Every structure is written in C-alpha cells, then in structure tokens.
Amino acid sequence: MLNELLHMPLFWAMLTIAAFTVGQHIYRLLGNTAFLPPILTGIILVSVVLEVTGISFDTYMDGGQYLHLMLGPVVVMLAVPLYQFIHVMKKEWLRISLAISLGSGTTVAVAVAMAHFWIGNDPITVTMSTKSVTTPVAVTVSEQLGGVGALASAFVIITGVFGALMIPPLLKSVKLDDPKAMGLTLGVCAHAIGTSRAIELGNQQAAYSAMAMTLTATLHAVLLPLVM
Amino acid sequence: MTGLLILLLFLVAGNLLQSQLDSPVPGSIIGMLLLLVFLMIRGRAPESLSQISKTLSPLLPLFIIPVSVGIVTQKELLAENGIALLVIMAVSIVPGAIVCAAIMKFRRKRDAE
C-alpha cells in the first residue's frame, strides 16, 4: 500500500504543498527571518522525503509538474508590479537604471568569472549567470540557456540568503546605507529574499527592493539569452 | 477567472512568438513584456489582473519547489564543488552591492547640494 502511495502523482503534489505550509509556519514562528525562507524549508523537506523513500526525481515530478505548470503564468504576472514600478521610477529613472544594470552586471560578471576559472564546468558557469534573478525567471532562463534549472534555483536562494545576511552590515560599514540605496541593493543582489529583509528595515527600503528585484529580473531575462 | 485567462493568453502568445522567431528569450518573458506593453497602452491594470496577482503572488515560492527539488539529482556535482560554489556566491555579492549602493548615494549627495 505504501508503495502505491509513493507512486501516486497526487501524493507528491500534496506533499509539496504540505512542505511549503510547514515552511511558512516555521518562517512565522522564527519572526519572519530572512535566513529560512519557506521555499528553502519546503525544498529541504521534500528532498529529505525523496532520499528516505528512495523515490526518483522523475517519479516525484509526475506529481510536481502540476505545480510547476503555474510557473509560466506567474512569470507573465510580474508585468503587473513592473508596470507599477515604472510609474514610480520616472523621476529618478537614470540613476535607478544605472544602479540596477551596473550593480547586477558586476555581481554576475564576478560570479561567472570565478565559476569559469575556478570550477570550469560550462553548465555551472551558465547557471551561475542567473543567480541574481528572482527564482521563477532564473529557472526559466537557465533551462533555456543550457544550464540546470534545479541548480539555478539553489544558487538564487543561497545568493538571496547570503545577500540578506551580508548587505545591511556591508553597506553600513562603507557608509552607503541610506534607505533607497539599501533597498535597491537588496533587491538587485538578493531578489525576493533580500526584499523580505528590506520589509523589516522600512517602507522605503521595501519599495525600492521590490522594484529593483523586478527590474533586475526583466533586464537579465532579456539580456542573458543574448549574451551567454 | 478573467485575470488568469489574461495571463494564459499572454503566455500562449509569448510561447508562440518565441517558437516562431526562434528567440533565445523564454516565451514567458516575452509574454510578460507583451503584457507590460498592453498595460502601458491601456494606462491601468484591469481589476481582474490585480486580483489574480494578489492571489498568486504569495504562492509563487510553492510553484518553484518542484523544479528546485531536482537538486537531489545534482549530489555528485555539489559534493565536488559545493564549497567553491558557496564562496563564489558570497564573494560576488560584495562588489555588486557596493557599485549599486554607490551609484544610489552618489546621486543623492548631488541632489542635496
């Protein structure tokens, strides 16, 4: 009976939702800490269950694909916040565009160069290029480029956790920590996880972070396929 | 439901355009850009679209979990390069963050003068 359950696609869809729900509860329990986003807990829990039961990723995906299917509409949906932010950034569009393109370009260039010379494995290098893009876009772009979707997701999430941890003290130490700079930098370098950190810091930080995350994702999604 | 239909319409259009143009930019991104142009021409987001956006946004991470769980197929690669990858991700944040914040701060100083 257990074997039957473990090969039922619906079971895995249900388990994924359960793992995400547990992740959300732990996240709230820890006071919305940026360091354990619900998605990370969800991934870890599902992976552990797969390891313990010895079920293959392909079998899991028979059920997981139902949730995965929503990734496309959700990426298209990013146009809604993007449209609102374009309105907001009209006043300062030049400095915001420069900060976002040069800032995200720098972090990606450094990461890709390090991966190329240190590890020298092409799929890893290609996948590394999407590390500063919000996860749904990173996974989509990475697979298009010949990278590995699962790795892209891991890189993005770990980058987000590191960024949320490092950026506030880093910018404070070099005295670049005014609210707009802090928010924008968190969005550019640490996307959604940085944005949840920015929400803790204040309204202006949160707004700039969400805007930066969406603009960075769009910019990279269009440019990376043409450059890489 | 109209909101979801709009999203799917633009997604299908994006995918179709991607395959017709043989574009390296993914179909969902093309769909997003098309929807953005539509919103800019229209001048505001339809209520149904704002509604579906509010409903789906909190669920976004859930939809990413399945593909992310694919990390279990990458164990060898991670065992071999895990430390290097962590170092690369930590180190590469620093120059990007400083460039980004410096540009924001630089302009702010000039504004104040």
Side-chain angles (χ1 to χ4, degrees), chain A residues 16-17 20 39 43 46-47 50-51 57 60-61 64 67-68 70-80 82-83 95 98-99 102-103 106-107 110-111 114-115 118-119 124 128 131 135-137 139-141 143-144 148 150-151 153-155 158-159 162-163 166-167 170-171 175-176 178 180-181 184-185 188-189 218 221-222 225-226, chain B residues 4 6-8 10-11 18 23-29 31-33 35-36 39-40 42-45 49-50 52-54 56-75 77-78 81 83-108 111:
Chain A
T16 308
I17 295 174
F20 179 62
I39 184 175
I43 294 167
V46 175
S47 302
L50 287 182
E51 283 299 297
F57 176 66
Y60 163 76
M61 219 35 189
L67 297 170
H68 182 65
M70 285 305 289
L71 209 53
V74 160
V75 170
V76 174
M77 196 181 73
L78 290 177
V80 178
L82 190 60
Y83 169 67
R95 88 162 142 176
L98 280 177
L102 296 180
T106 305
T107 180
V110 170
M114 283 180 81
W118 191 359
I119 298 175
I124 291 189
M128 193 52 94
K131 75 163 190 108
T135 330
V137 177
V139 168
T140 312
V141 172
E143 285 180 345
Q144 181 94 31
V148 187
L151 274 184
S153 170
F155 290 174
I158 293 169
T159 293
F162 280 175
M166 292 164 54
I167 289 168
L170 173 72
L171 294 190
K175 301 202 161 51
L176 291 173
D178 78 77
K180 288 180 182 177
L184 201 92
T185 307
V188 165
C189 298
T218 311
V222 174
L226 306 174
Chain B
L4 188 60
I6 295 174
L7 293 181
L8 290 175
F10 279 93
L11 179 60
Q18 194 248 344
S23 154
V25 179
S28 52
I29 301 296
M32 183 196 73
L33 294 174
L35 179 56
L36 179 66
L39 292 177
M40 287 167 79
R42 196 170 181 275
R44 67 187 169 83
L49 201 59
S50 312
I52 192 83
S53 170
K54 256 181 236 148
L56 285 184
S57 291
L59 294 176
L60 211 154
L62 172 66
F63 304 137
I64 306 160
I65 293 178
V67 65
S68 309
V69 169
I71 198 77
V72 295
T73 64
Q74 306 292 325
K75 273 176 290 193
L77 195 145
L78 290 180
N81 302 303
I83 302 292
L85 289 171
L86 287 178
V87 172
I88 291 172
M89 282 182 275
V91 170
S92 61
I93 289 173
V94 177
I98 290 182
V99 167
C100 190
I103 293 172
M104 290 303 285
K105 186 88 180 212
F106 172 70
R107 284 277 303 187
R108 206 181 73 102
D111 283 347

Side-chain angles (χ1 to χ4, degrees), chain A residues 41-52:
Chain A
T41 316
I43 294 167
I44 294 171
L45 287 177
V46 175
S47 302
V48 167
V49 175
L50 287 182
E51 283 299 297
V52 171

